[in-house]
Every structure is written in C-alpha cells, then in structure tokens.
Amino acid sequence: MSFIATPQSLHFPDALALQSGASIRDYHLAFETYGTLNADRSNAVLVCHALNASHHVAGVYAGQAKSEGWWDNMIGPGKPVDTDRFFVIGVNNLGSCFGSTGPMHLNPDTGQVYGADFPVVTVEDWVNAQARLLDRLGIRQLAAVLGGSLGGMQALSWTLQYPDRMRHAVVVASAPNLTAENIAFNEVARRAIVTDPDFHGGHFYQHSVIPKRGLRIARMIGHITYLSDDVMNEKFGRSLRAPALPDGSAAPEGDPAALPRDYQYSTQDIEFQIESYLRYQGDKFSEYFDANTYLLITRALDYFDPARTHGGNLTRALAPVQAKFLLISFTTDWRFSPQRSREIVKALLDNRRDVSYAEIDAPHGHDAFLLDDARYMNVMRSYFDSVAKERA
Amino acid sequence: MSFIATPQSLHFPDALALQSGASIRDYHLAFETYGTLNADRSNAVLVCHALNASHHVAGVYAGQAKSEGWWDNMIGPGKPVDTDRFFVIGVNNLGSCFGSTGPMHLNPDTGQVYGADFPVVTVEDWVNAQARLLDRLGIRQLAAVLGGSLGGMQALSWTLQYPDRMRHAVVVASAPNLTAENIAFNEVARRAIVTDPDFHGGHFYQHSVIPKRGLRIARMIGHITYLSDDVMNEKFGRSLRAPALPDGSAAPEGDPAALPRDYQYSTQDIEFQIESYLRYQGDKFSEYFDANTYLLITRALDYFDPARTHGGNLTRALAPVQAKFLLISFTTDWRFSPQRSREIVKALLDNRRDVSYAEIDAPHGHDAFLLDDARYMNVMRSYFDSVAKERA
C-alpha cells in the first residue's frame, strides 16, 4: 500500500546559464513532494534521478495500479527514508521526457520543437536548476541530497556547487566520473540511435516517426550493463525460450502437450530466454523514451568529472565539500564498481570529511541500488534515522 | 620478416550433413599451409579461427605489405609453433566471408546467392568440414589442433568428434559454452544488423546495399568486450580527441598552434578518444565483413555447448577425449574468463586426462590471445617443443 503522489510543475521564466555557454529560459520543472516540510524548513531531502527515471520517486498515482515511483521501496511512511519525518522532493531533470522541459517541447526562441537543438545539459546544470526549484519552495538548506548512479553524481555535485545547502549527501552506486568503458557503451548506444534512419538528425518529431530501432539497441546494451554476469546466469543462463505447443503457440508452464525445446537453428529467431528478455525490454523502452533525451542524459554522464579542472586530482576537487557523506556500492556492480565509490571515499577522507561507506555484497549488479536488499535497506534506514535525530 | 603464404582452395562436391538437419554441397574451403608435412604425416597442426579471422594465419602475401596473418607472431619459422618442425594448416570456416563458401556465394540448388538462406552452421559442422579437408590432404592424425576463443571451441570439439585424430589440443582464451551475458552481447549485435533497413532480411546483395550501420554497431560492441576495462583506461582513459587547429583540422602532435581542447558540448560529435577509436573500428569492419557471416558465426558461438546433451555435465561430456590438453586463459579476459577455462580443466581432470593449464596475468582482456606476451609465448613455445620432441 503506497500513498497517493501528485505531480506538480513550476515555470521558470528567467534564463538559466548552462555550462556549455548556452542558456535556457521559460522552462518547466516537474516535481513531486512527499511528507511535510517542518516549521524551520530543515527536514527536506532532495532525490536526484538516474537515466531512466523521473520526479515520480515514490507513491502511486490516483486510480493507476502499478504506478509506484521508482524508489517506492526506499521512500515513504515508515520506509528507510521516512516521509513521516522528512519532506522528500523528487525532481525531473531538464532535457528529460517525463514532464520537465525537454527536446520534444517548443523552443521559445524559435517557436519550433527543440529536437536536436535542445541545449546540452550537464550534471552541474541540473543541480543549478534544482537549486532554483528549492529557492521557489523556500528551502535554504537540505537535510540531505540523495541519488543513485547518475543521481549520485548529482548529489556529489551539489556538495561542490552549493556546499552549505545540505547537511548530508547520500551517493549510491555511483562514480566520480565514467571510465573509458562506460563512455564506450554510451557511445555505441548513441550511434545506434543517431544512425537510425528514423532519427532524422534529431528532428524526427516533424517526420512523425520515432527511431525505435536505435532506442531498442540502446536499451538492450544498457540492460546488459545494469545486470551482473552472475545474476544473468542465475535468471536466464542458457535456458531456451519456453516450449511451444504443436501449433507454435507458447505452452503454459507445465503443459504436458508442450514440445521439448531443441535448438531451432536460426540466426534471427529467439532461441534463448535472455534474447527474449532483452528484446522485450528494448521494445518497451522504445515506446516511451525519447531519443534526444537518451543522447542528452548519456552525454551528461560522460561529461561529469569534477576532478577535471583540478588536473584529475579528486582530493583537490572535493576540498569545498562541507556535507557529511554516506556512500554505498554493490560488489557485483561492474558499471560503477565499488572501487569507484572508494575513490570518492578516499578523496573525502583526504579532506578530513565525515564519511560512512557500505559495500553491500549483492548479486544484482548495478540494478541492486533499486532493489530490496536487507543490508542495503538497513544501512539507509539507520543513516536517515541519525539524520532525523540530529535535527531534534 | 615473414615468409610468403599462398592461399589454396579445395572443392567438396558431396553433401555435408549439418547439425541442423540441413546439408550443404558443392562448397569450397579456403586454406593455407606452412612448413612441410613429414614422411609419416605426423607433424600436422590445424589452426581454427575465431570470429573475425580466416585461413590466413601466418606469413604475408607476395607483394602485399602489412598482410601478416592473424597469428603471425605465434606461427612461423623459429616461432612458438615452429613451421620448421610442424606442418601448419589454417582453414577458413564455412559461412565465412574470407574465401570459403559463404552467404555471398551461389546456392547450387537455386542458382541464387544464399544470403539469409545459407544454412546455420555450428562448431561441430565446421569440425566435420575440417576433417574432410584433412582427409583430402592425407592427414589421419594431427600432432595438435589449436585455436583461441571460438577457435578454442573448435579444438575442444575436435577432441570429442574425432578423439583419435589428434595427439594434442591447445585451447586458448576459450570456454565450454557462452554465458547468458555473452549471448546477450551477440544478440544486441545481431539485432543491430537485422534491424538495419539495408539488411533486407539478409538478401541485401540483390539490393546492392550493405547494412553498414548494423555492422558498425556490432563491431563497436565486440571491441568493448575484447578489451579489458583496465587497458581501455590506460589506452584512452577520458582523453579528449586530439586538439584541433583554428580552422578545425586535426593538429599534428605537438603543434603549438593547436587549440587546447575543452568539451565541445555536443551529443553527436566525437569528444573522447575512445569514441573516435570505436567509430574507426566500426567503419573499417563494415567495409569488409559480411552481415550474414556475422549472424552465422555469433550463432555458432551461442550454440556451442558440448555438455548440453549430457544434462549440463561437462565431465560426462568430455569422457571421449583422448588428446592431451594445454589450456591458457588471461586474467583480465572478462569475455571468456579464466574461470571458464578452469571448468574445462576440471572436467578433463575428472576424466583423468593429461592437462596443462596456464593462467597468464595480462592486462589486455580477451584480445591478449592475439598479442605478444612473453609468458604466454613461452608457454606455447615450450608446449609445442615437447610435442615436437615426443615424435622424435
């Protein structure tokens, strides 16, 4: 049983200067809030989202079954981030396709849909936009800024861009920048989208088509990197697709009329369950995700690198940090491995900052940050419990 | 200085029964031989190739600079597999695009180009075709069958299909089957090819187009999996593309007029060197590799699983083996990790077979099997030295 969430939106008429030198004006940010802001406005927690997520972090929408927010297991009344104690804010980033202004909206300068002309946005730009949203909500200082994966990068960036605007930063399954391999996977996904003939240089909206081929490939690649080799073997292994009935239709589980499956010897048909799973994920994604948004968000991932302007020295880069940190990583996460979290931990300790770090032994790869794992949930619960108590 | 290699071809008129139930007739196999077959025909070594390789294993072609065979560092006079002592045979597999009969050739049953109708071939089928080639060359028993990656699977399969036709099997950087993650990467690559509008269901030849978009994506994915995360970070890291001159052209190294490179803030242009590298590899590959061949070879990889007909029990599957084995794996190979080689070692030891195993600490990932590494070369040299001596 989840509570009812209600999406909101705020209009920002003034231009926001972007890291690229461009700017964006007259934009909207979609957001949701859960819980109650206390009298001294000190119990706010901002949740930053990752690639395929939105401001709908927790709760369900009225009348919509199965509309739980993407971190509904983590955030809500009595949950690790307890909305009976905290005022939680979920915000959709600029350039997204889930409610905030993005490439599918009108460019006020031209009256045309942005398409590929939507300005390139960075983690730093998102944080600046989120800060403006907090200004409008009357929140000077957050109890905590919280995020996983790309969301963790935003939380880290918050502590550098606005060091005195949060007391805690919680960075889950994240990294101080992408490795060459991370960038490589992003680049293949982008090339699949950009070279899809239906992409039309990013202006596919006016051709009334969607580069679904490219989006499917991008999502399939993404899924492989979210899961661990172990969990893929456990979930799918080399299992063949479900057996078929003599007429070729899928047999219900345990149906004695089902034919034993042997190889079909086909290069294009589905043989293995893992293929079926990936195709399904790709198809689903291509129905709702925007191609330009995919390019923008993966590029924001590529660009994030706070040590870059400090000669690659992360310790120097993190000197401005004032917040206390909780970092969490997962042993089987090969996309953002524990080693990457430890780099952040070390740089914070070098700066004598207050850091807690948990490396969770979980089988699920990068996806673990979204899943229920008792140890992970306990670490989060206990940390946020202490955050709540220090205000009292 | 390499010796001159000369490609040869043999025609096989009789139908070869394939594992799928189909058959293929009137096909050619391209091959090369190096060294001299001795009087008792006991010094032959068969080399099986991996995905992107051919019968041109060693030497150079007359008048063609930089035409070294793909394992020229390993095979030749005085090299680890010494052609002064061994008669080495390289053979191109059925379905390839490098000389043996493949999807771009005429189907004798229809008079049309095979295209997508080329029969699905398996590792076992390739081994059967190779055995016929040995028959024609008058070779009853090999001194050794040798291969890396998919080539290692063929070497392993040889010891099961023709247990008395080799004295040694050398299996490098290979596995007893693909994991779910391996299949997943193959499937994404195949989907990129098959959904390229220029694929035309595999009959693109008659449309005079090539599904280059799909081939590029497939190759980029492949390259990521061939390299280790470490070597990618070392070779490319987060380096930006080479600096440009004010007119936008690439600056020669060290040119003082070169502009310092900052982010260009573009989602489609190349920012990072790793992107440039991958795009180049993809472009090059799409110029010479056949799309149907890519599907066939990745499918042969997916299907290989000698334990499958033994309830997944590799020990039982390897009971017929008579050959002595050398297995080699590389620590940073995450495509075919050392653990996979150890599964084969264990199954052979369970059967009380003669096994040598070397796990080479090398940084280069799966690609290491093609590269010079002193320890790797020494292991191979010393093993083949003992193979040569046991005949004496």
Side-chain angles (χ1 to χ4, degrees):
Chain A
M1 282 298 295
S2 273
F3 60 92
I4 300 298
T6 309
Q8 305 173 58
S9 182
L10 273 177
H11 175 233
F12 295 81
D14 295 345
L16 177 74
L18 303 173
Q19 211 179 350
S20 65
S23 69
I24 184 166
R25 66 177 175 89
D26 276 315
Y27 61 86
H28 288 79
L29 288 185
F31 66 100
E32 295 181 6
T33 69
Y34 324 113
T36 309
L37 189 61
N38 61 9
D40 61 359
R41 298 166 179 264
S42 65
N43 69 334
V45 172
L46 177 69
V47 180
C48 306
H49 70 75
L51 199 152
N52 176 34
S54 72
H55 51 292
H56 184 41
V57 180
V60 294
Y61 290 143
Q64 292 181 39
K66 298 198 175 184
S67 65
E68 287 84 5
W70 56 269
W71 227 348
D72 190 62
N73 58 343
M74 183 67 79
I75 292 163
K79 294 185 179 172
V81 181
D82 187 347
T83 52
D84 290 338
R85 304 161 101 179
F86 292 106
F87 177 67
V88 176
I89 306 154
V91 55
N92 189 216
N93 285 327
L94 278 172
S96 174
C97 50
F98 294 125
S100 292
T101 298
M104 66 299 302
H105 295 126
L106 289 185
N107 179 346
D109 291 338
T110 65
Q112 305 289 311
V113 169
Y114 277 111
D117 300 330
F118 195 88
V120 169
V121 281
T122 64
V123 166
E124 288 79 0
D125 295 331
W126 286 335
V127 167
N128 286 332
Q130 291 161 7
R132 282 185 165 193
L133 173 67
L134 293 194
D135 293 343
R136 292 277 290 273
L137 298 177
I139 295 164
R140 235 304 291 168
Q141 191 189 53
L142 295 162
V145 57
L146 162 65
S149 189
L150 174 57
M153 290 176 167
Q154 293 161 62
L156 177 59
S157 206
W158 258 99
T159 69
L160 299 171
Q161 295 174 248
Y162 301 96
D164 62 348
R165 290 196 73 172
M166 81 292 300
R167 297 192 298 281
H168 296 269
V170 178
V171 174
V172 184
S174 196
N177 61 27
L178 294 196
T179 63
E181 188 183 83
N182 293 146
I183 297 173
F185 280 120
N186 281 347
E187 170 69 0
V188 182
R190 280 191 298 262
R191 294 311 291 167
I193 290 170
V194 166
T195 63
D196 183 329
D198 286 336
F199 183 65
H200 293 288
H203 295 287
F204 51 89
Y205 314 97
Q206 57 220 61
H207 295 82
S208 302
V209 291
I210 292 171
K212 286 192 179 184
R213 286 175 289 244
L215 281 165
R216 284 190 196 107
I217 297 295
R219 185 56 165 179
M220 291 170 87
I221 294 170
H223 255 279
I224 297 175
T225 68
Y226 304 151
L227 298 179
S228 71
D229 193 20
D230 285 353
V231 84
M232 263 203 197
N233 281 331
E234 193 189 301
K235 256 176 113 165
F236 306 105
R238 297 182 50 81
S239 300
L240 300 178
R241 199 178 50 165
L245 293 172
D247 67 358
S249 64
E253 211 169 331
D255 188 320
L259 298 170
R261 275 273 284 143
D262 196 357
Y263 289 158
Q264 303 303 301
Y265 297 102
S266 161
T267 58
Q268 296 185 38
D269 296 341
I270 291 173
E271 282 278 19
F272 297 93
Q273 282 189 11
I274 181 66
E275 297 176 315
S276 173
Y277 171 79
L278 286 177
R279 289 199 197 183
Y280 174 76
Q281 295 295 340
D283 285 347
K284 214 173 56 169
F285 189 71
S286 73
E287 298 287 337
Y288 71 80
F289 208 86
D290 180 78
N292 284 307
T293 293
Y294 201 89
L295 303 186
L296 287 167
I297 296 190
T298 55
R299 215 34 154 174
L301 272 160
D302 292 354
Y303 282 142
F304 183 68
D305 187 12
R308 183 167 169 270
T309 47
H310 299 268
N313 187 317
L314 189 63
T315 296
R316 279 214 298 273
L318 300 195
V321 165
Q322 297 177 28
K324 296 178 178 175
F325 268 77
L326 169 64
L327 289 109
I328 299 177
S329 69
F330 301 93
T331 48
T332 56
D333 182 351
W334 60 280
R335 186 182 173 93
F336 289 154
S337 73
Q339 192 231 315
R340 306 310 318 276
S341 285
R342 278 186 242 123
E343 290 174 36
I344 303 174
V345 170
K346 182 185 177 302
L348 289 166
L349 291 175
D350 287 346
N351 283 298
R352 299 174 182 278
R353 294 300 179 274
D354 190 326
V355 189
S356 302
Y357 174 53
E359 197 167 305
I360 307 286
D361 190 4
H364 303 98
H366 188 62
D367 259 3
F369 91 89
L370 295 169
L371 302 176
D372 285 326
D373 176 285
R375 282 170 291 192
Y376 169 40
M377 291 289 153
N378 285 341
V379 168
M380 290 287 276
R381 181 180 293 279
S382 125
Y383 194 85
F384 275 90
D385 191 51
S386 71
V387 173
K389 280 181 182 145
E390 77 183 0
R391 291 185 302 107
Chain B
M1 283 300 294
S2 271
F3 61 93
I4 300 297
T6 309
Q8 305 174 58
S9 182
L10 274 176
H11 175 233
F12 294 81
D14 295 345
L16 176 74
L18 303 173
Q19 210 179 351
S20 65
S23 69
I24 184 166
R25 66 177 174 89
D26 276 317
Y27 61 86
H28 288 79
L29 289 185
F31 66 101
E32 294 181 8
T33 70
Y34 324 113
T36 309
L37 189 60
N38 61 8
D40 62 359
R41 299 167 178 263
S42 66
N43 69 335
V45 172
L46 177 70
V47 180
C48 306
H49 70 75
L51 199 152
N52 176 35
S54 72
H55 52 293
H56 183 41
V57 179
V60 294
Y61 290 143
Q64 292 181 40
K66 299 197 173 184
S67 65
E68 287 85 4
W70 57 270
W71 227 349
D72 190 62
N73 58 344
M74 182 69 77
I75 292 163
K79 293 185 178 172
V81 182
D82 188 348
T83 52
D84 289 337
R85 304 163 101 178
F86 292 106
F87 177 67
V88 176
I89 306 153
V91 55
N92 189 218
N93 285 326
L94 278 173
S96 175
C97 51
F98 294 125
S100 292
T101 298
M104 67 298 303
H105 296 125
L106 288 185
N107 179 347
D109 291 338
T110 65
Q112 305 292 310
V113 169
Y114 276 111
D117 300 330
F118 194 88
V120 169
V121 281
T122 64
V123 166
E124 287 79 2
D125 296 330
W126 286 335
V127 167
N128 286 332
Q130 292 161 8
R132 282 184 166 195
L133 173 66
L134 293 193
D135 294 343
R136 291 278 289 274
L137 297 177
I139 295 164
R140 233 306 288 170
Q141 191 188 53
L142 295 162
V145 57
L146 163 64
S149 189
L150 174 57
M153 289 175 167
Q154 293 163 61
L156 177 59
S157 206
W158 258 101
T159 69
L160 299 171
Q161 294 175 249
Y162 301 97
D164 62 348
R165 289 196 73 171
M166 80 293 301
R167 296 193 297 283
H168 296 269
V170 178
V171 174
V172 185
S174 195
N177 61 28
L178 294 195
T179 63
E181 188 184 83
N182 293 146
I183 297 173
F185 279 120
N186 281 347
E187 169 70 359
V188 182
R190 280 191 298 262
R191 294 310 291 165
I193 289 171
V194 166
T195 63
D196 183 332
D198 286 337
F199 183 65
H200 293 288
H203 296 287
F204 51 90
Y205 314 97
Q206 57 221 60
H207 294 82
S208 302
V209 290
I210 292 171
K212 286 194 178 182
R213 284 175 289 244
L215 281 165
R216 285 191 195 105
I217 297 295
R219 185 57 163 179
M220 292 170 86
I221 294 170
H223 254 279
I224 298 175
T225 68
Y226 303 152
L227 299 179
S228 70
D229 193 20
D230 285 353
V231 85
M232 263 204 197
N233 281 331
E234 194 189 300
K235 257 177 113 164
F236 306 104
R238 297 182 49 82
S239 300
L240 300 178
R241 197 179 51 166
L245 293 173
D247 68 356
S249 64
E253 211 167 330
D255 189 320
L259 298 170
R261 277 272 284 141
D262 195 359
Y263 289 157
Q264 303 303 300
Y265 297 103
S266 162
T267 57
Q268 296 186 38
D269 296 340
I270 291 174
E271 281 279 16
F272 298 93
Q273 282 188 10
I274 180 67
E275 297 176 315
S276 174
Y277 171 80
L278 287 176
R279 288 198 198 182
Y280 173 76
Q281 295 294 341
D283 286 347
K284 214 173 57 170
F285 189 72
S286 74
E287 298 288 336
Y288 71 80
F289 209 87
D290 180 77
N292 284 309
T293 293
Y294 201 90
L295 303 187
L296 287 167
I297 297 190
T298 55
R299 214 34 154 175
L301 272 161
D302 292 355
Y303 282 143
F304 183 68
D305 187 12
R308 183 167 168 271
T309 47
H310 299 267
N313 187 319
L314 189 63
T315 296
R316 279 214 299 271
L318 299 195
V321 164
Q322 297 177 27
K324 295 177 181 178
F325 267 77
L326 169 64
L327 290 109
I328 298 177
S329 69
F330 301 94
T331 48
T332 56
D333 183 352
W334 60 280
R335 187 181 172 93
F336 290 155
S337 72
Q339 192 232 315
R340 306 311 317 276
S341 285
R342 277 186 243 123
E343 290 174 36
I344 303 174
V345 171
K346 182 184 178 302
L348 289 166
L349 291 175
D350 287 347
N351 282 299
R352 300 173 181 278
R353 294 301 180 273
D354 189 326
V355 189
S356 301
Y357 173 54
E359 198 166 305
I360 307 285
D361 190 2
H364 303 98
H366 189 60
D367 260 3
F369 91 89
L370 295 168
L371 302 176
D372 285 325
D373 176 284
R375 282 170 290 193
Y376 169 40
M377 291 289 153
N378 286 341
V379 168
M380 289 288 276
R381 181 181 294 278
S382 128
Y383 194 85
F384 275 90
D385 191 52
S386 71
V387 173
K389 279 181 182 144
E390 77 183 3
R391 291 186 302 109

